[in-house]
Amino acid sequence: MSRIFRIATRRSKMAMVQTTAIIAALQKVAPEHSYEVYEVVADGDYDKFQGDLKRLGIAGGGKGAFVKALEIALLENRADMAMHSMKDVPGEVDLPQGLVIPAMMERQDVRDAVVCRAGESLATLPPGARIGSSSVRRAAQMRRAFPQFEIVPLRGNADTRVAKVDSGEVDAAILSYAGLGRIGLQHRVTDVLEPDLMLPAVGQGAVGIECRADDAEALRVLKLINHPDTFACVNTERTMLKLLQGSCHTPIAGVARCVGDEILFEALVSSLDGSEILHSNAQMPYAEGEKLGAAVARDLLAKGANRLLNEATKEDE
């Protein structure tokens, strides 16, 4: 029997592009169904929700606010699926009771990128130039790699941050290379930061789709568009993140890669100023991704990750 699947998403340009890609993929593998975009606004959803947010693992605020708003739409049956940029899905807690992420689209470029004004690049910016970033992970690694620059907070969606570069509010901005490409701004990239200089965020470049655990047909069609390597690598990274109790307020980075029948995983924990960085890397068979993520987390903890994470959390407060 055919259904209309409503896919919850943010209203941003990037979110819409990603949701449209999901719909196109679903239409190819399950054309018997119809698919609609369901736009969600985070503000106020917590107050209107009638369930127990704490019991469901939903607590408002912070970078995960939009993720939680989409999850509430699922729990209230206003939507059947939800699109997430996996780097934004909180890693320190389990998904809300009754929800699962059974599929991830093929991962795009994991690297970070720099946007400067026309004719400029990191190499031409003078000492003291203001580099904007919305991420403590990026800020910490930039401070270590480019101590001559001033790293400052920069908020807003990707096109807003690029506009702040053009207006002179900052001299450059650090953003996701894949994200810039999704909204047609790849031509604005002046520098691409390789992982040995700027290790990416957990889940960066990957898009996941969440649904209710008891929706058999949604689970079936979503698994048809799942990219197994992306799914294995991102879950490896998220296992590490959960064991470290990492969030958007903690300077944690990590990226896993599938090479043959193994997964290679590199991760780090940093002080906020970038003066101290703890590295870990390991590899295990493809089927042991969660075990690999746990091993890297334990190695980082043994090297003192808790101390850096606690200091970062206190400073953020």
Side-chain angles (χ1 to χ4, degrees):
M1 183 179 295
S2 64
R3 281 177 58 181
I4 299 175
F5 284 103
R6 297 155 296 174
I7 305 176
T9 184
R10 297 174 60 174
R11 291 181 175 178
S12 72
K13 182 178 180 180
M14 190 178 303
M16 287 299 178
V17 169
Q18 293 171 169
T19 305
T20 299
I22 290 170
I23 289 175
L26 287 169
Q27 287 172 333
K28 287 183 179 180
V29 299
E32 67 274 20
H33 298 307
S34 299
Y35 307 92
E36 296 180 350
V37 172
Y38 180 80
E39 296 181 5
V40 172
V41 179
D43 294 345
D45 282 353
Y46 301 107
D47 295 333
K48 290 183 285 187
F49 184 61
Q50 299 299 310
D52 183 343
L53 295 176
K54 187 174 181 180
R55 179 180 63 81
L56 292 169
I58 295 177
K63 187 176 179 180
F66 275 106
V67 172
K68 301 310 180 187
L70 300 180
E71 290 176 335
I72 289 171
L74 289 175
L75 293 167
E76 291 187 330
N77 293 307
R78 290 184 281 119
D80 307 292
M81 302 172 183
M83 185 287 300
H84 299 303
S85 292
M86 289 305 301
K87 70 179 179 62
D88 295 336
V89 179
E92 70 271 27
V93 295
D94 292 326
L95 294 178
Q97 182 179 326
L99 300 182
V100 293
I101 298 178
M104 296 181 199
M105 304 291 284
E106 183 173 5
R107 193 175 211 168
Q108 296 186 7
D109 202 309
V110 301
R111 296 175 297 175
D112 289 297
V114 180
V115 172
C116 297
R117 287 182 287 275
E120 298 180 338
S121 68
L122 286 180
T124 66
L125 292 177
R130 291 165 54 86
I131 314 296
S133 171
S134 63
S135 159
V136 296
R137 169 194 62 84
R138 289 175 180 144
Q141 293 183 78
M142 283 296 292
R143 289 186 178 109
R144 185 178 182 88
F146 301 98
Q148 72 272 32
F149 298 139
E150 180 185 0
I151 312 302
V152 299
L154 186 65
R155 305 302 177 196
N157 55 33
D159 44 2
T160 297
R161 282 179 268 167
V162 171
K164 289 181 178 181
V165 174
D166 293 336
S167 70
E169 183 173 331
V170 292
D171 298 297
I174 314 298
L175 302 101
S176 160
Y177 187 89
L180 288 167
R182 286 175 181 135
I183 60 174
L185 289 178
Q186 62 268 31
H187 65 284
R188 292 300 311 272
V189 173
T190 57
D191 302 83
V192 178
L193 303 175
E194 297 297 334
D196 59 351
L197 181 68
M198 174 79 70
L199 200 63
V202 165
Q204 186 155 309
V207 172
I209 309 100
E210 191 173 18
C211 69
R212 290 181 293 277
D214 61 359
D215 189 336
E217 185 60 10
L219 290 169
R220 185 188 74 81
V221 299
L222 286 176
K223 288 179 179 177
L224 294 175
I225 65 169
N226 180 53
H227 188 259
D229 286 0
T230 299
F231 196 84
C233 287
V234 172
N235 281 328
T236 297
E237 297 163 14
R238 286 178 57 78
T239 297
M240 180 269 298
L241 192 64
K242 182 179 179 182
L243 290 175
L244 293 180
Q245 286 294 286
S247 72
C248 60
H249 304 293
T250 48
I252 298 174
V255 62
R257 297 181 295 117
C258 292
V259 180
D261 58 358
E262 292 195 315
I263 297 178
L264 282 60
F265 185 25
E266 179 182 2
L268 67 78
V269 173
S270 171
S271 60
L272 287 179
D273 64 3
S275 62
E276 185 175 0
I277 294 183
L278 307 175
H279 285 272
S280 180
N281 60 79
Q283 61 190 73
M284 287 188 184
Y286 187 92
E288 297 182 357
E290 290 189 7
K291 184 178 177 181
L292 174 59
V296 167
R298 287 194 298 270
D299 184 46
L300 288 168
L301 289 170
K303 292 175 177 177
N306 264 342
R307 174 178 54 81
L308 294 183
L309 295 175
N310 289 337
E311 290 173 356
T313 300
K314 288 177 183 178
E315 187 165 338
D316 180 71
E317 292 172 350

